[in-house]
Amino acid sequence: MWPMRPFLTALLAAVGALGQSLNLSHDLVTNGIASQNMTPNAPALDSRPLFQAGVTYASKNHIPLVTADPGSFYFLTPNSPYQYAYLDSIQNVTVDLQHSEVYVAQGSIMGIEVDNSTNFTLKNFTIDAIQLPFTQATVTGVNTVARTIGIKQSGKYPLPSYLNAVTVPAGFVNDGYFAYVFRNGTQLRTTGRMPVAGPVSDSSIQITGSDPWTTATQLATIQPGDTLVLELRAGIGTIFASNTTGLTIQNVSVYESGFIGVFTDRGSSITVDHVQVIPRPGTDRMISTNADGIHLGSAGANNAITNNTVKRGCDDAIAIDGEWAATVSAANSDRTVQVKRHNTAPIAIGEAFDFIDITSGAIAGTATVVTESPPVSAQMGSDGEAITLTLDHAVAVKENFGVAINSPNLRGSGTVISGNLVYQQTFGRGIYPAGVANVTVSDNMLEETGGGGVLVEQDEGLSYGYKTGPASNITITNNIIDNALGFGVPSYNVLSYAGAINVVVYDQNFNWVRTESMSAINVTNNFVTNSPGSGIRMENVNGGSVTGNTVVNYGLDPTNYLWYLAPGETVAQIESELRQPVLVINSTGVTNTNNATSGPYVANLSNADGSYRIAPGSIATAWGHFPVATPAAASGATLPSTLGGITVTVEDSAGVSGVASLYYASSRQINYVVPPGIAPGVSKVTIGGNVSAAFAGAVAPALYAANGGGTGVAAALAIRASSDGTQTPVPVFQCSPGCTAKPMPLGAPTDVLVVELYGTGIAGRSSLSNVTARIGGLSATVAYAGTQSQYPGMDLVNLYVPRALAGAGEVPVVLSVDGVTANVVTISVQ
């Protein structure tokens, strides 16, 4: 028995550890992990090595849960020039930071990098940078001849010259400086992403390049007082993972990135759920990330990108791709092919690869790699590395042909992109599946994207380092695409923005091709509205369907922004195509039937702030034209289902219908309570014969403001409770006629000031612990979040005002429910 004792001791310890958790704020010293604990709200404490050591320890000791006390944590020193926290080979660990805030010192390198890990979860935190990878300035003037824009410092944003000192590590993307111009909070639609000469100065910037949206004519539309955003587009991702299986990122908000917000490379079974990539709420930041929001690169199988929000990124909001593994170096027609590695992706022996003809997009041949020279063990793994491949049979190739993975399981097979809200995307597309197979894009809302709402693209352009192979078996169904191509100017060639939903292949010179390299693309039952060009353009596809879609208000601006026409194309030809609601071209075997292309446009929005999500039991407003002769309002405690002769029926994404209760009906506006129990996703809303769509989530938190528009001072009540039990009402706002915040005294040191916020879309919260609030940047206790008894669909949130805000004046209130942040309102503290 004695020889078994060490084994039994170790086994019992491991079994016991399975039921344990590690609290980074209390257990690091006790367990000998570090000399101090990761104490929250200590700006001088470098939490990065403590976080890294604690998570690594948990993985090695089979501790499944890592937590920390809620608060703010600061990653002040990088683990290396490439990243702050580095987590390698983490197994079966969940890190729950319990709604804490993480700040990295500098936003151009990775905040958290996860490599070679399995079944690892990051959840419940926000991440921001102390030094942002962009700044904002105020325009003072424009010299259109010299193409210079005069600027001055804006608020507390740093002077632009600080970007000159940012070091970009070798191997990172470094595209240089770009500028965007905003007026009254909206991107100026006459200018797009403009390259800027470096180094940058603090008084003016020099626009460079020959892009047509940076000409003197376009620059002349910029006015003094406009806001200019200057970014250094460089880095990898704020959260980055590679070679990882079973990674989950959940209830995380990313407020900045020098490049991509959440980026995974060569990962499978990746879940990105209830993640927000948005400008920091309560600030006047114009952008969130300098490039993509969420991007799964060289994606493996069975991923889920669900229930996320992406706003104001400077490239694609949500992307998944199967990139090239290599580029052919020289023409050949036998079994031995010379290639250059593309990025650092491995070229696996025994794997089948497609060889892509970049003049047509067609697959020239498919073969399996048998051997490589130099051997894999001697390769450097660097971008551009020369490798000679021996194939199992001969394939005729030419220089610059692409080498793409053939297996669908290494091109995103089984991935679902669903339930996501994308809006005001500053430069790129809404959802971008490229070179992937067996991917479903469903029940998303894409509103005001600089590029197309959904772009399925095979990219063979040679002027930059991004390439893909053909896509196949892509399903795009039950999405709302509104105002695609409508936020800012499309800053690229016309073939990428010819439709709100666009499927296209182009050659090495960015010209349209006539071949059919993509297959089985199905675009069904989508609601496409308010498109400057076509609603749907399906091109270069062999087999598929465009059926059951509603395309309303299309071809609204077909003559605008026709950059870079290909040889042989005419403006008249392109304009004619962009005026069509649905266009299937250069394709065979594509069914094009039962698409509705006329009818009224109706927007179904939150009644509290006009935001795009609604929720079961919330109050929504439909804006449009309705057959109501005389406005009618409900009276009494019970709301009717018919008002002004109008009934509202909501059919959810699961096909279940319910009748809404009505508050108000007029010829332009219907206020209704969304039927309880509707499934998340895109619902069909029928109002007096008008059929439209609404985007539903499990929650859709929105707060009422005193001005009725969802901004400014909250429409709220406040009570100051004294230790003797006295409760004193305290006014929150005054309107005469404009509404302003009324300073609220905190009272005696023992008094408690409680603010009662009114909203909607909140009651479906998963738990009170998943409702968080910050007032003036300080964490505020949420005492209650749920229904109130008087008005159906209206919710109530009670917050304790932190006494540390004494004398703060008007401050923002930021409320988040299950990872979704509401519109920001304000209160004033005396």
Side-chain angles (χ1 to χ4, degrees), residues 502-571:
N502 199 27
V503 182
V504 67
V505 179
Y506 51 84
D507 68 14
Q508 76 274 27
N509 297 315
F510 300 97
N511 297 326
W512 269 300
V513 301
R514 298 182 181 278
T515 51
E516 301 159 2
S517 57
M518 292 193 282
S519 61
I521 312 294
N522 295 286
V523 180
T524 63
N525 301 322
N526 299 283
F527 290 83
V528 183
T529 52
N530 301 316
S531 175
S534 296
I536 301 170
R537 182 180 177 118
M538 175 86 84
E539 191 162 8
N540 309 117
V541 173
N542 181 3
S545 60
V546 182
T547 62
N549 302 283
T550 298
V551 182
V552 176
N553 292 355
Y554 51 86
L556 299 180
D557 199 5
T559 65
N560 214 345
Y561 312 125
L562 297 182
W563 318 125
Y564 303 132
L565 295 185
E569 296 168 353
T570 66
V571 172

Coordinates of all heavy atoms in Angstrom, one line a residue, residues 502-571:
N502 N -23.7 41.7 -51.2 CA -22.9 41.7 -52.4 C -22.1 40.4 -52.4 O -21.4 40.1 -51.4 CB -22.0 42.9 -52.4 CG -21.5 43.2 -53.8 OD1 -22.1 42.8 -54.8 ND2 -20.3 43.8 -53.9
V503 N -22.2 39.6 -53.4 CA -21.4 38.4 -53.6 C -20.5 38.6 -54.9 O -21.1 38.8 -56.0 CB -22.3 37.2 -53.7 CG1 -21.4 35.9 -53.9 CG2 -23.2 37.1 -52.6
V504 N -19.2 38.6 -54.7 CA -18.4 39.0 -55.9 C -17.0 38.4 -55.8 O -16.4 38.1 -54.8 CB -18.3 40.5 -56.0 CG1 -17.5 41.1 -54.8 CG2 -17.7 41.0 -57.3
V505 N -16.4 38.1 -57.0 CA -15.0 37.7 -57.2 C -14.4 38.8 -58.1 O -14.9 39.3 -59.0 CB -15.0 36.3 -57.9 CG1 -13.5 35.9 -58.1 CG2 -15.7 35.3 -57.1
Y506 N -13.1 39.1 -57.7 CA -12.4 40.0 -58.6 C -10.9 39.5 -58.8 O -10.4 38.8 -57.9 CB -12.4 41.4 -58.2 CG -12.1 41.8 -56.8 CD1 -10.8 41.9 -56.4 CD2 -13.1 41.9 -55.9 CE1 -10.5 42.3 -55.1 CE2 -12.8 42.3 -54.6 CZ -11.5 42.5 -54.2 OH -11.2 42.8 -52.9
D507 N -10.3 40.0 -59.8 CA -9.0 39.5 -60.2 C -7.9 40.3 -59.5 O -8.1 41.1 -58.7 CB -8.8 39.4 -61.7 CG -8.8 40.8 -62.4 OD1 -8.6 41.8 -61.6 OD2 -8.9 40.9 -63.6
Q508 N -6.6 40.0 -60.0 CA -5.5 40.6 -59.4 C -5.4 42.1 -59.5 O -4.7 42.8 -58.8 CB -4.2 40.0 -59.9 CG -3.8 40.4 -61.3 CD -4.4 39.6 -62.4 OE1 -5.5 39.1 -62.2 NE2 -3.8 39.5 -63.5
N509 N -6.2 42.6 -60.5 CA -6.2 44.1 -60.8 C -7.5 44.7 -60.3 O -7.8 45.8 -60.7 CB -6.0 44.3 -62.3 CG -4.6 43.9 -62.7 OD1 -3.6 44.1 -62.1 ND2 -4.6 43.2 -63.9
F510 N -8.3 44.0 -59.5 CA -9.5 44.5 -58.9 C -10.5 44.8 -60.0 O -11.3 45.7 -60.0 CB -9.3 45.8 -58.1 CG -8.4 45.6 -56.9 CD1 -7.1 46.0 -57.0 CD2 -8.8 45.1 -55.8 CE1 -6.2 45.8 -56.0 CE2 -8.0 44.9 -54.7 CZ -6.7 45.2 -54.8
N511 N -10.6 43.9 -61.0 CA -11.6 43.9 -62.1 C -12.6 42.8 -61.8 O -12.2 41.7 -61.3 CB -10.9 43.8 -63.4 CG -10.0 44.9 -63.8 OD1 -10.2 46.0 -63.4 ND2 -9.0 44.6 -64.5
W512 N -13.8 43.1 -62.2 CA -14.8 42.0 -62.2 C -14.4 40.8 -63.1 O -13.8 41.1 -64.2 CB -16.2 42.5 -62.6 CG -17.0 43.0 -61.5 CD1 -17.5 42.3 -60.5 CD2 -17.6 44.4 -61.4 NE1 -18.3 43.1 -59.7 CE2 -18.4 44.4 -60.3 CE3 -17.5 45.5 -62.2 CZ2 -19.1 45.5 -59.8 CZ3 -18.2 46.6 -61.8 CH2 -19.0 46.6 -60.6
V513 N -14.7 39.6 -62.7 CA -14.5 38.5 -63.6 C -15.8 37.8 -63.9 O -16.8 38.1 -63.3 CB -13.5 37.4 -62.9 CG1 -12.2 38.0 -62.5 CG2 -14.2 36.8 -61.6
R514 N -15.8 37.0 -64.9 CA -17.0 36.4 -65.4 C -17.2 34.9 -65.0 O -18.1 34.2 -65.4 CB -17.2 36.5 -66.9 CG -17.2 38.0 -67.3 CD -17.4 38.1 -68.9 NE -17.4 39.5 -69.3 CZ -18.5 40.3 -69.2 NH1 -19.6 39.8 -68.7 NH2 -18.4 41.6 -69.6
T515 N -16.2 34.4 -64.3 CA -16.2 33.0 -64.0 C -17.1 32.7 -62.7 O -17.5 33.7 -62.1 CB -14.8 32.5 -63.7 OG1 -14.2 33.4 -62.7 CG2 -14.0 32.4 -64.9
E516 N -17.3 31.5 -62.4 CA -18.2 31.1 -61.3 C -17.5 30.2 -60.3 O -17.8 29.0 -60.2 CB -19.5 30.4 -61.9 CG -20.2 31.2 -62.9 CD -21.1 30.3 -63.9 OE1 -21.1 29.1 -63.7 OE2 -21.7 30.9 -64.8
S517 N -16.6 30.8 -59.7 CA -15.7 30.1 -58.7 C -16.4 29.8 -57.4 O -16.0 28.8 -56.7 CB -14.4 30.8 -58.5 OG -14.6 32.1 -58.0
M518 N -17.4 30.6 -57.0 CA -18.1 30.3 -55.8 C -19.3 29.5 -56.0 O -19.9 29.5 -57.1 CB -18.4 31.6 -55.1 CG -17.2 32.4 -54.6 SD -17.6 33.7 -53.5 CE -18.1 35.0 -54.6
S519 N -19.7 28.7 -55.0 CA -20.8 27.8 -55.2 C -21.8 27.8 -54.0 O -21.4 28.0 -52.9 CB -20.3 26.4 -55.5 OG -19.6 25.9 -54.4
A520 N -23.0 27.5 -54.3 CA -24.1 27.2 -53.3 C -24.2 28.4 -52.3 O -24.0 28.3 -51.1 CB -23.8 25.9 -52.5
I521 N -24.4 29.6 -52.8 CA -24.6 30.8 -52.0 C -26.1 31.0 -52.0 O -26.8 31.2 -53.1 CB -23.9 32.0 -52.6 CG1 -22.4 31.6 -52.9 CG2 -24.0 33.2 -51.6 CD1 -21.6 31.3 -51.7
N522 N -26.7 31.1 -50.8 CA -28.2 31.2 -50.7 C -28.5 32.5 -49.9 O -28.1 32.6 -48.7 CB -28.8 30.0 -50.0 CG -28.6 28.8 -50.9 OD1 -29.3 28.6 -51.9 ND2 -27.7 27.9 -50.5
V523 N -29.2 33.4 -50.5 CA -29.6 34.7 -49.9 C -31.2 34.7 -49.8 O -31.8 34.8 -50.8 CB -29.1 35.9 -50.7 CG1 -29.5 37.2 -50.0 CG2 -27.6 35.8 -50.8
T524 N -31.7 34.5 -48.6 CA -33.1 34.2 -48.5 C -33.7 35.0 -47.3 O -33.1 35.2 -46.2 CB -33.4 32.7 -48.2 OG1 -32.8 32.3 -47.0 CG2 -32.9 31.9 -49.4
N525 N -34.9 35.5 -47.5 CA -35.8 36.1 -46.4 C -35.1 37.2 -45.7 O -35.3 37.4 -44.5 CB -36.2 35.0 -45.5 CG -36.9 33.9 -46.1 OD1 -37.7 34.1 -47.0 ND2 -36.7 32.6 -45.7
N526 N -34.3 38.0 -46.4 CA -33.7 39.2 -45.7 C -34.5 40.4 -46.0 O -35.2 40.5 -47.0 CB -32.3 39.4 -46.3 CG -31.4 38.2 -46.0 OD1 -30.9 38.0 -44.9 ND2 -31.2 37.4 -47.0
F527 N -34.4 41.4 -45.1 CA -35.0 42.7 -45.3 C -33.9 43.7 -45.6 O -33.1 44.0 -44.8 CB -35.7 43.1 -44.0 CG -37.0 42.3 -43.7 CD1 -36.9 41.1 -43.1 CD2 -38.2 42.8 -44.1 CE1 -38.0 40.4 -42.8 CE2 -39.4 42.1 -43.8 CZ -39.3 40.9 -43.2
V528 N -33.9 44.2 -46.8 CA -32.9 45.1 -47.3 C -33.6 46.4 -47.7 O -34.4 46.5 -48.6 CB -32.2 44.5 -48.6 CG1 -31.0 45.5 -49.0 CG2 -31.6 43.1 -48.3
T529 N -33.1 47.5 -47.0 CA -33.8 48.8 -47.2 C -32.8 49.9 -47.3 O -31.7 49.9 -46.8 CB -34.7 49.1 -46.0 OG1 -34.0 48.9 -44.8 CG2 -35.9 48.1 -46.0
N530 N -33.2 51.0 -48.0 CA -32.4 52.2 -48.1 C -31.0 52.1 -48.6 O -30.1 52.5 -47.9 CB -32.5 52.9 -46.8 CG -33.9 53.2 -46.3 OD1 -34.7 53.7 -47.1 ND2 -34.2 53.0 -45.1
S531 N -30.9 51.4 -49.7 CA -29.5 51.1 -50.3 C -29.2 52.2 -51.4 O -30.0 52.3 -52.3 CB -29.4 49.7 -50.8 OG -28.2 49.6 -51.4
P532 N -28.1 52.8 -51.3 CA -27.7 53.7 -52.4 C -27.6 53.0 -53.8 O -27.8 53.6 -54.8 CB -26.3 54.3 -52.0 CG -26.3 54.2 -50.5 CD -27.1 52.9 -50.2
G533 N -27.2 51.7 -53.7 CA -27.1 50.9 -54.9 C -28.1 49.8 -54.9 O -29.2 49.9 -54.4
S534 N -27.8 48.6 -55.5 CA -28.7 47.5 -55.5 C -28.9 47.0 -54.1 O -28.1 47.1 -53.2 CB -28.1 46.4 -56.4 OG -28.0 46.8 -57.7
G535 N -30.1 46.4 -53.9 CA -30.3 45.7 -52.6 C -29.5 44.5 -52.5 O -28.8 44.2 -51.5
I536 N -29.5 43.6 -53.5 CA -28.8 42.3 -53.5 C -28.1 42.2 -54.9 O -28.7 42.3 -56.0 CB -29.7 41.1 -53.3 CG1 -30.4 41.3 -51.9 CG2 -28.9 39.8 -53.4 CD1 -31.5 40.3 -51.7
R537 N -26.8 41.9 -54.9 CA -26.1 41.6 -56.1 C -25.4 40.3 -56.0 O -24.5 40.1 -55.1 CB -25.1 42.7 -56.5 CG -24.3 42.4 -57.8 CD -23.4 43.5 -58.1 NE -22.6 43.2 -59.3 CZ -22.6 43.9 -60.5 NH1 -23.4 45.0 -60.5 NH2 -21.9 43.6 -61.5
M538 N -25.8 39.3 -56.7 CA -25.2 37.9 -56.7 C -24.4 37.7 -58.0 O -24.9 37.8 -59.1 CB -26.3 36.9 -56.6 CG -25.8 35.5 -56.7 SD -25.3 34.8 -55.1 CE -26.8 34.2 -54.4
E539 N -23.1 37.4 -57.8 CA -22.2 37.3 -59.0 C -21.2 36.2 -58.8 O -20.8 35.9 -57.6 CB -21.5 38.7 -59.2 CG -20.8 38.8 -60.5 CD -20.5 40.3 -60.8 OE1 -20.7 41.1 -59.9 OE2 -20.0 40.5 -61.9
N540 N -20.8 35.6 -59.9 CA -19.7 34.6 -59.9 C -20.0 33.4 -59.0 O -19.2 32.8 -58.4 CB -18.4 35.2 -59.4 CG -18.0 36.5 -60.1 OD1 -18.0 37.6 -59.4 ND2 -17.8 36.5 -61.4
V541 N -21.3 32.9 -59.1 CA -21.8 31.8 -58.3 C -22.3 30.7 -59.2 O -23.1 31.0 -60.1 CB -22.9 32.3 -57.3 CG1 -23.5 31.2 -56.6 CG2 -22.3 33.3 -56.3
N542 N -22.0 29.5 -58.9 CA -22.5 28.3 -59.5 C -23.5 27.6 -58.5 O -23.0 26.9 -57.6 CB -21.4 27.4 -60.0 CG -21.9 26.2 -60.7 OD1 -23.1 26.0 -60.9 ND2 -21.0 25.3 -61.0
G543 N -24.8 27.8 -58.7 CA -25.7 27.2 -57.8 C -26.0 28.0 -56.6 O -25.1 28.4 -55.9
G544 N -27.3 28.2 -56.3 CA -27.7 28.9 -55.1 C -29.1 29.6 -55.3 O -29.8 29.2 -56.2
S545 N -29.4 30.5 -54.5 CA -30.7 31.1 -54.6 C -30.8 32.5 -54.0 O -30.0 32.9 -53.1 CB -31.8 30.3 -53.8 OG -31.4 30.2 -52.4
V546 N -31.6 33.3 -54.6 CA -32.0 34.7 -54.0 C -33.5 34.7 -54.0 O -34.2 35.0 -55.0 CB -31.4 35.8 -54.9 CG1 -31.8 37.2 -54.3 CG2 -30.0 35.7 -55.1
T547 N -34.1 34.3 -52.9 CA -35.5 34.1 -52.8 C -36.1 34.6 -51.5 O -35.4 34.6 -50.4 CB -35.9 32.6 -52.9 OG1 -35.3 31.9 -51.8 CG2 -35.4 32.0 -54.2
G548 N -37.3 35.1 -51.6 CA -38.1 35.5 -50.4 C -37.6 36.8 -49.7 O -37.9 37.0 -48.5
N549 N -36.7 37.5 -50.4 CA -36.2 38.8 -49.8 C -37.1 39.9 -50.0 O -37.8 40.0 -51.0 CB -34.8 39.1 -50.3 CG -33.8 37.9 -50.1 OD1 -33.3 37.8 -49.1 ND2 -33.6 37.2 -51.2
T550 N -37.1 40.9 -49.1 CA -37.8 42.2 -49.2 C -36.8 43.2 -49.5 O -35.9 43.5 -48.6 CB -38.6 42.5 -48.0 OG1 -39.6 41.5 -47.8 CG2 -39.3 43.8 -48.2
V551 N -36.8 43.9 -50.6 CA -35.9 44.9 -51.0 C -36.7 46.2 -51.2 O -37.4 46.3 -52.2 CB -35.0 44.6 -52.2 CG1 -34.0 45.7 -52.5 CG2 -34.3 43.2 -52.0
V552 N -36.5 47.2 -50.3 CA -37.3 48.4 -50.4 C -36.4 49.6 -50.4 O -35.4 49.6 -49.6 CB -38.3 48.5 -49.2 CG1 -39.1 49.8 -49.3 CG2 -39.3 47.3 -49.3
N553 N -36.7 50.6 -51.2 CA -35.9 51.8 -51.3 C -34.4 51.5 -51.7 O -33.5 51.6 -50.9 CB -35.9 52.6 -50.0 CG -37.2 53.2 -49.6 OD1 -38.1 53.1 -50.4 ND2 -37.3 53.8 -48.5
Y554 N -34.2 51.1 -52.9 CA -32.9 50.7 -53.5 C -32.5 51.7 -54.6 O -33.4 52.5 -55.0 CB -33.0 49.3 -54.0 CG -34.2 49.1 -55.0 CD1 -34.0 49.5 -56.4 CD2 -35.4 48.7 -54.6 CE1 -35.1 49.3 -57.3 CE2 -36.5 48.6 -55.5 CZ -36.3 48.9 -56.8 OH -37.4 48.8 -57.7
G555 N -31.3 51.7 -55.0 CA -30.8 52.6 -56.0 C -31.0 54.0 -55.7 O -31.2 54.9 -56.6
L556 N -30.8 54.4 -54.4 CA -31.1 55.8 -54.0 C -30.0 56.7 -54.5 O -30.3 57.9 -54.6 CB -31.2 55.8 -52.5 CG -32.4 55.0 -51.9 CD1 -32.4 55.1 -50.4 CD2 -33.7 55.4 -52.4
D557 N -28.8 56.3 -54.7 CA -27.8 57.2 -55.1 C -26.8 56.4 -56.0 O -25.6 56.3 -55.7 CB -27.0 57.7 -53.8 CG -26.2 58.9 -54.1 OD1 -26.3 59.4 -55.2 OD2 -25.5 59.4 -53.2
P558 N -27.2 55.9 -57.1 CA -26.4 55.1 -58.0 C -25.3 55.8 -58.7 O -24.4 55.2 -59.3 CB -27.4 54.5 -58.9 CG -28.5 55.5 -59.1 CD -28.6 56.1 -57.7
T559 N -25.4 57.1 -58.7 CA -24.4 57.9 -59.5 C -23.2 58.4 -58.6 O -22.3 59.0 -59.1 CB -25.0 59.1 -60.1 OG1 -25.5 60.0 -59.1 CG2 -26.2 58.7 -61.0
N560 N -23.3 58.1 -57.4 CA -22.3 58.7 -56.4 C -21.2 57.7 -56.1 O -21.4 56.5 -56.0 CB -23.0 59.1 -55.1 CG -22.4 60.4 -54.5 OD1 -21.3 60.7 -54.9 ND2 -23.1 61.0 -53.6
Y561 N -20.0 58.2 -56.0 CA -18.8 57.4 -55.5 C -18.5 56.2 -56.3 O -18.3 55.1 -55.8 CB -19.1 57.0 -54.0 CG -19.5 58.1 -53.2 CD1 -20.7 58.0 -52.4 CD2 -18.8 59.3 -53.1 CE1 -21.1 59.1 -51.6 CE2 -19.2 60.4 -52.3 CZ -20.4 60.3 -51.6 OH -20.8 61.3 -50.8
L562 N -18.5 56.4 -57.6 CA -18.2 55.3 -58.5 C -16.7 55.3 -58.8 O -16.2 55.7 -59.9 CB -19.0 55.4 -59.9 CG -20.5 55.3 -59.7 CD1 -21.1 55.3 -61.1 CD2 -20.9 54.0 -59.0
W563 N -15.9 54.9 -57.8 CA -14.5 54.9 -57.9 C -14.0 53.7 -58.8 O -14.6 52.6 -58.7 CB -13.8 54.7 -56.5 CG -14.4 55.5 -55.4 CD1 -14.8 55.0 -54.2 CD2 -14.6 56.9 -55.3 NE1 -15.2 56.0 -53.4 CE2 -15.1 57.2 -54.0 CE3 -14.3 58.0 -56.2 CZ2 -15.4 58.5 -53.6 CZ3 -14.6 59.3 -55.8 CH2 -15.1 59.5 -54.5
Y564 N -12.9 53.9 -59.5 CA -12.2 52.8 -60.1 C -13.0 51.9 -61.0 O -13.0 50.7 -60.7 CB -11.5 52.0 -59.0 CG -10.6 52.7 -58.1 CD1 -10.7 52.6 -56.7 CD2 -9.6 53.6 -58.6 CE1 -9.9 53.3 -55.8 CE2 -8.8 54.3 -57.7 CZ -8.9 54.2 -56.3 OH -8.1 54.9 -55.5
L565 N -13.6 52.4 -62.0 CA -14.2 51.5 -62.9 C -13.2 50.7 -63.7 O -12.1 51.1 -64.0 CB -15.0 52.3 -63.9 CG -16.2 53.1 -63.4 CD1 -17.0 53.7 -64.5 CD2 -17.1 52.2 -62.5
A566 N -13.5 49.4 -63.9 CA -12.6 48.5 -64.6 C -12.6 48.8 -66.1 O -13.5 49.4 -66.6 CB -13.0 47.1 -64.4
P567 N -11.5 48.4 -66.8 CA -11.5 48.6 -68.3 C -12.7 48.0 -69.0 O -13.1 46.9 -68.6 CB -10.2 47.8 -68.7 CG -9.3 47.8 -67.4 CD -10.3 47.7 -66.3
G568 N -13.3 48.8 -69.9 CA -14.4 48.3 -70.6 C -15.7 48.6 -69.9 O -16.8 48.5 -70.6
E569 N -15.7 49.0 -68.7 CA -17.0 49.4 -68.0 C -17.3 50.9 -68.2 O -16.4 51.7 -68.4 CB -16.9 49.1 -66.5 CG -16.7 47.6 -66.2 CD -16.3 47.4 -64.7 OE1 -16.0 48.4 -64.0 OE2 -16.2 46.3 -64.3
T570 N -18.5 51.2 -68.2 CA -18.9 52.6 -68.4 C -19.7 53.0 -67.1 O -20.4 52.2 -66.5 CB -19.8 52.8 -69.6 OG1 -21.0 52.1 -69.5 CG2 -19.0 52.3 -70.9
V571 N -19.7 54.3 -66.9 CA -20.5 54.8 -65.8 C -22.0 54.5 -66.0 O -22.7 54.1 -65.1 CB -20.3 56.3 -65.6 CG1 -21.3 56.9 -64.6 CG2 -18.9 56.6 -65.2

